[in-house]
Amino acid sequence: MKYATFTTADVNKVQLHLATASKHDLFSKSLERLEEAVAKALDKPLDVPGQGEAGSYEHNQHKFNYELMDQCAKLYAFTGQTKHLEIVRSLLLMYADSYLQMPFHEQKNTNPPGRLFHQILNEHMWLFYASLAYSVIQKHLSAADRSTIETQLFTPMIDMFTVLYSHDFDRIHNHGIWAVAAVGVCALNLGDKETVNKAIFGLKGDGRSGGFLAQISKLFSRSGYYIEGPYYHRFAIRPLVMFAQVLHLHYPQLNIYAYEEGVIGTTIKALLLCSNPDGTFPALNDASLTMNIDDEGALAALSVYFSHYGQDEILIKAAKQQGKVWLSPCSLPLSQAIDNYAGNAAIHWPSIELAEGAHDEKGAQGFLRSQQPNRPVSQAIMAYGQHGMGHGHFDALGITLFGNGHEFVREYGFARWVNVETKFGGRYLDENKSWARQTVAHNGVTVDCRTQNAFDVPQADSHYGKRHFFTKQANVQAMSAYANDHYVGVDMQRTLLMLELDDFEHPLIVDLYRLTSQSEHTYDFVVHYSGQITSTNLQYQYHANQRNCLGDNYGYQHLFEKARATAEPTSQLTWLQDQCFHSWTTGTTAGEIIFAQTGANDPAMNLRTEDCVLLRTQASNHLFASTYETHGLFDEASESCFGALNQVQDVTVLHNDDNYSIVAVSYTKDAQIHRLCVCIANKLGNDAHMQHQISVNQRIFKWGGHFAVIKENQAL
């Protein structure tokens, strides 16, 4: 017998495994934890409530119910306990009796409303899980029960998704992939092949304008990167891999796991390779700051990869750290691999560039990671890919930096309090547009206090970054990219280098942001940080009694000015975050530094209070040259502090034009001043073998390739 994602033969394998394997193996422990959770949940009577906002009791209970049905169906399949079958049957009948009696929710934003939930996306999720559960118990129900459930619940839901909301059904988006997966599984249970085909090939039946195959083709690049960013990737990957299991079993002729050169396997690895060293996903585009690889989508994806694409040691490590597996027969190979793995379980993701576009032609997302296994992982991310559709942020060439266990040059993420019903029903807040998506909310450069592409989504979707290089030489990794279409009349290039030097406790990050224009502009270089400022060489004027906002649009209206200073030839700022110090050092010939904080024009107090600094200068052509250091330790409990002073003393731009940028960085170590000269070949199209030579201040710099870092010593 075939269920949605497995067969009775698969169930027999699970039962044999449970009977013969150690009770401490990961699959058995995962099942045991599920049994305990379900038993606790069943202490309360079943309830199918009415309607409520996101985060309300009603919303949470409908979500709880679809999860409970899925869990009970698995327990029934694997253990044969009929009480779990009865739970699923009872809940489905209760919903069948009430569903059509519910009106549609009031629509408060652009998302179509459902009957159970405020947005149709949640209804897709409900149908998806309910359909998976129904596939397990369907043959064990009476004809009358099946008729009630199918005619009063499932068929009306399919009609709503494919007819009433047909515009949303074929939408290439995370909503769309949930829609086609939900309808596909449900229609399969009903024996409705025509609707299953719509789910696979779209309403037009061409496999390109809509449907599951179109979602796979258009949402994921050849590198596996998901266009809306990692937060939505871990969400979209759940219906992707689960519905792929359905198609693998019921439509083997599609050869779904080989479709588009095996992009399902590629995107599973890409999702994990995007994660921060602490397992959280970086907030590229709309995103929370806490979502991590323990999400159910990541769990399911790992099992699917092992079942269909083979073993990979680094994924075994990831699964071992998760400490559980997705409860599906396809998880058995992964569970066994984890149980047999004797290596070090510490994850050390490699540096990687994930290209975007069907032919890798639309920029990329770059991830530099330190390579020394016995030190904490440092990471630098730079965004130079596509906009990200409706969830995209306007932050081409924006960066985030991670070191010593946390993100210290930080991304705000989305302005949303998910499922907090008192905050606009858990929906996206207006401040998501007015602040979180604006360029000034990111670690980049704004031009004339405006947002990239004038905050125009169609315009932004037509523009993307251009990669220059992503490479490594000895103990230096580097990436460089352009964004030349994001501000009219201004070309931008950013180059990040991660230097793993014995002279520094943690890798030194060198950041070169170059702007070129025929006319003068106001350039604001923005750094968002978290923590307490502990030292600075700036003579700033602090605004003790009155704070003004920095502007009236493009996110500036949400920034209070706390203080302002004239920039020094080398300006420095150090802050303490948790137990570690971070220092930003930047060199400039002219300009001012503004200390700012979110909270202006926020009467509902929707924004988190966070700090940033803006280095402002007036110029046509300009190079912002900076370094970032992670250093020291502060233990408040023992009142101990070490290494609070940073090492970099000076950053100087020696040369900057369309061909080359040369920057000198001076730092102290063991009573000596050391000097690094960072040389970058700027011309797009230069290859890694090209030789370069330039004379600067009567000194000749020679190097081969895209960049060079030259070290000199000078005694104090």
Side-chain angles (χ1 to χ4, degrees):
M1 181 185 298
K2 290 183 179 180
Y3 305 111
T5 60
F6 50 82
T7 67
T8 51
D10 294 325
V11 171
N12 292 337
K13 291 178 183 178
V14 170
Q15 293 174 341
L16 178 63
H17 174 84
L18 295 173
T20 58
S22 165
K23 296 301 180 184
H24 301 291
D25 76 281
L26 202 53
F27 192 95
S28 300
K29 287 193 293 185
S30 298
L31 184 64
E32 181 182 358
R33 284 196 291 265
L34 179 63
E35 289 179 304
E36 292 172 353
V38 168
K40 184 178 180 180
L42 296 182
D43 287 341
K44 299 179 181 179
L46 300 179
D47 181 28
V48 173
Q51 298 175 329
E53 290 282 15
S56 65
Y57 168 79
E58 292 84 0
H59 175 104
N60 292 335
Q61 187 64 28
H62 290 310
K63 179 182 178 183
F64 172 83
N65 285 343
Y66 73 65
E67 291 174 341
L68 181 62
M69 285 190 283
D70 177 58
Q71 294 163 351
C72 285
K74 289 178 179 177
L75 290 176
Y76 174 65
F78 301 152
T79 69
Q81 297 184 55
T82 56
K83 66 178 181 180
H84 295 125
L85 181 152
E86 285 302 317
I87 294 298
V88 181
R89 170 184 173 275
S90 297
L91 279 171
L92 286 174
L93 288 172
M94 292 169 72
Y95 274 102
D97 286 341
S98 62
Y99 187 71
L100 292 178
Q101 310 307 314
M102 295 183 184
F104 286 96
H105 273 255
E106 178 187 355
Q107 185 168 356
K108 294 185 178 180
N109 57 15
T110 58
N111 293 323
R115 296 179 187 272
L116 301 176
F117 298 98
H118 70 287
Q119 63 173 347
I120 201 64
L121 170 63
N122 299 87
E123 216 110 336
H124 295 150
M125 298 175 72
W126 190 98
L127 179 62
F128 181 72
Y129 281 100
S131 297
L132 291 176
Y134 186 62
S135 76
V136 174
I137 72 163
Q138 183 179 11
K139 304 299 182 183
H140 304 283
L141 300 181
S142 68
D145 284 349
R146 289 199 301 271
S147 177
T148 298
I149 293 167
E150 293 176 7
T151 60
Q152 296 178 204
L153 182 61
F154 288 150
T155 298
M157 293 186 86
I158 287 178
D159 289 343
M160 177 171 61
F161 298 154
T162 60
V163 180
L164 179 63
Y165 294 141
S166 60
H167 64 284
D168 208 52
F169 185 76
D170 271 349
R171 182 183 178 193
I172 306 300
H173 191 263
N174 69 80
H175 289 208
I177 200 167
W178 274 102
V180 298
V183 168
V185 178
C186 188
L188 182 72
N189 292 336
L190 302 184
D192 183 354
K193 293 183 179 179
E194 180 181 351
T195 300
V196 174
N197 284 335
K198 290 178 181 178
I200 298 171
F201 301 105
L203 296 178
K204 294 181 179 179
D206 57 14
R208 308 307 299 177
S209 58
F212 190 66
L213 299 184
Q215 299 286 346
I216 295 175
S217 300
K218 298 181 180 181
L219 288 177
F220 305 94
S221 70
R222 291 172 61 186
S223 73
Y225 187 77
Y226 179 71
I227 190 172
E228 295 179 284
Y231 175 81
Y232 283 97
H233 193 175
R234 60 86 214 169
F235 182 62
I237 209 166
R238 208 186 316 174
L240 174 73
V241 299
M242 293 183 187
F243 191 48
Q245 278 292 96
V246 174
L247 297 180
H248 171 73
L249 181 60
H250 297 273
Y251 287 77
Q253 66 274 18
L254 289 175
N255 198 12
I256 194 64
Y257 287 113
Y259 187 73
E260 293 285 358
E261 300 180 348
V263 71
I264 292 176
T266 304
T267 201
I268 290 170
K269 291 196 72 173
L271 172 65
L272 296 167
L273 288 167
C274 279
S275 61
N276 290 323
D278 63 356
T280 58
F281 290 117
L284 299 168
N285 297 333
D286 283 344
S288 76
L289 303 179
T290 56
M291 197 61 67
N292 59 42
I293 62 173
D294 291 342
D295 181 78
E296 185 184 5
L299 289 173
L302 277 171
S303 295
V304 165
Y305 189 96
F306 264 73
S307 183
H308 298 285
Y309 297 102
Q311 296 196 5
D312 187 308
E313 183 180 10
I314 200 166
L315 300 189
I316 296 175
K317 292 181 177 184
K320 192 164 187 175
Q321 288 205 355
Q322 288 170 328
K324 55 186 175 180
V325 293
W326 182 46
L327 283 171
S328 167
C330 82
S331 299
L332 289 177
L334 175 59
S335 178
Q336 291 162 354
I338 295 168
D339 295 334
N340 295 330
Y341 185 68
N344 186 342
I347 301 175
H348 204 97
W349 300 119
S351 298
I352 190 169
E353 183 182 46
L354 296 172
E356 295 201 60
H359 304 287
D360 295 347
E361 80 284 10
K362 295 186 177 180
Q365 306 291 328
F367 299 78
L368 298 181
R369 295 181 174 109
S370 57
Q371 302 299 307
Q372 299 183 39
N374 298 322
R375 292 189 179 184
V377 178
S378 294
Q379 174 180 271
I381 301 176
M382 183 163 71
Y384 47 101
Q386 298 180 82
H387 174 63
M389 302 193 301
H391 288 295
H393 284 196
F394 298 79
D395 63 333
L397 303 187
I399 67 168
T400 62
L401 302 178
F402 190 103
N404 205 36
H406 55 219
E407 188 179 75
F408 66 91
V409 173
R410 293 170 55 84
E411 167 59 54
Y412 187 87
F414 55 37
R416 181 185 183 189
W417 300 89
V418 181
N419 288 346
V420 178
E421 59 181 315
T422 52
K423 286 288 189 182
F424 194 41
R427 300 170 176 84
Y428 283 98
L429 300 164
D430 287 341
E431 289 77 12
N432 196 57
K433 290 184 177 180
S434 62
W435 169 250
R437 296 175 65 194
Q438 303 283 347
T439 302
V440 74
H442 302 87
N443 302 297
V445 171
T446 66
V447 177
D448 298 327
C449 300
R450 296 174 67 85
T451 286
Q452 294 173 6
N453 290 296
F455 202 82
D456 182 274
V457 172
Q459 179 178 320
D461 283 341
S462 68
H463 295 156
Y464 46 86
K466 294 180 175 64
R467 72 179 301 276
H468 184 24
F469 59 80
F470 187 96
T471 187
K472 178 181 180 181
Q473 293 179 10
N475 57 347
V476 180
Q477 302 178 75
M479 56 183 167
S480 184
Y482 298 85
N484 291 340
D485 301 314
H486 297 67
Y487 285 109
V488 176
V490 180
D491 291 347
M492 303 188 295
Q493 177 194 3
R494 193 169 203 170
T495 303
L496 282 186
L497 302 97
M498 178 180 285
L499 285 62
E500 297 187 68
L501 306 175
D502 291 338
D503 288 349
F504 287 84
E505 180 182 0
H506 298 273
L508 177 69
I509 304 297
V510 178
D511 178 12
L512 308 179
Y513 201 126
R514 194 171 68 88
L515 300 107
T516 306
S517 178
Q518 296 295 318
S519 56
E520 185 174 284
H521 297 275
T522 297
Y523 297 136
D524 282 347
F525 181 94
V526 190
V527 178
H528 292 267
Y529 67 93
S530 176
Q532 190 68 35
I533 292 176
T534 57
S535 64
T536 181
N537 68 336
L538 297 167
Q539 302 300 311
Y540 57 82
Q541 181 182 359
Y542 179 73
H543 306 315
N545 299 317
Q546 182 176 349
R547 292 182 178 178
N548 297 320
C549 57
L550 289 182
D552 56 11
N553 205 344
Y554 297 109
Y556 282 81
Q557 75 274 23
H558 289 303
L559 286 174
F560 279 125
E561 180 178 325
K562 296 171 61 180
R564 188 176 292 234
T566 299
E568 300 291 335
T570 292
S571 299
Q572 295 189 315
L573 182 70
T574 297
W575 63 92
L576 175 65
Q577 182 179 351
D578 300 327
Q579 294 183 304
C580 191
F581 296 93
H582 304 280
S583 293
W584 170 58
T585 303
T586 186
T588 186
T589 55
E592 56 186 352
I593 291 181
I594 303 167
F595 295 79
Q597 188 175 74
T598 55
N601 289 299
D602 183 25
M605 301 185 189
N606 285 330
L607 293 173
R608 302 188 304 271
T609 300
E610 297 191 355
D611 295 299
C612 66
V613 292
L614 297 86
L615 171 55
R616 175 171 291 177
T617 191
Q618 311 288 329
S620 53
N621 301 330
H622 189 73
L623 175 64
F624 289 102
S626 304
T627 62
Y628 303 89
E629 299 171 73
T630 296
H631 55 96
L633 170 68
F634 174 63
D635 184 350
E636 187 170 5
S638 64
E639 298 182 339
S640 301
C641 182
F642 307 95
L645 300 178
N646 62 301
Q647 294 175 246
V648 173
Q649 301 299 304
D650 181 73
V651 175
T652 304
V653 176
L654 302 180
H655 179 84
N656 176 51
D657 63 18
D658 288 345
N659 293 309
Y660 302 113
S661 294
I662 312 291
V663 173
V665 177
S666 299
Y667 66 93
T668 58
K669 177 66 177 179
D670 298 332
Q672 282 190 319
I673 290 181
H674 300 257
R675 193 173 192 241
L676 301 172
C677 288
V678 179
C679 309
I680 307 296
N682 293 326
K683 277 289 187 183
L684 189 64
N686 286 347
D687 63 40
H689 305 290
M690 188 172 293
Q691 297 298 309
H692 305 280
Q693 178 174 315
I694 181 175
S695 177
V696 178
N697 297 333
Q698 299 183 336
R699 176 178 176 181
I700 296 176
F701 292 90
K702 292 182 179 181
W703 73 95
H706 295 296
F707 71 91
V709 178
I710 303 166
K711 183 178 179 181
E712 305 167 336
N713 285 347
Q714 177 185 341
L716 277 172

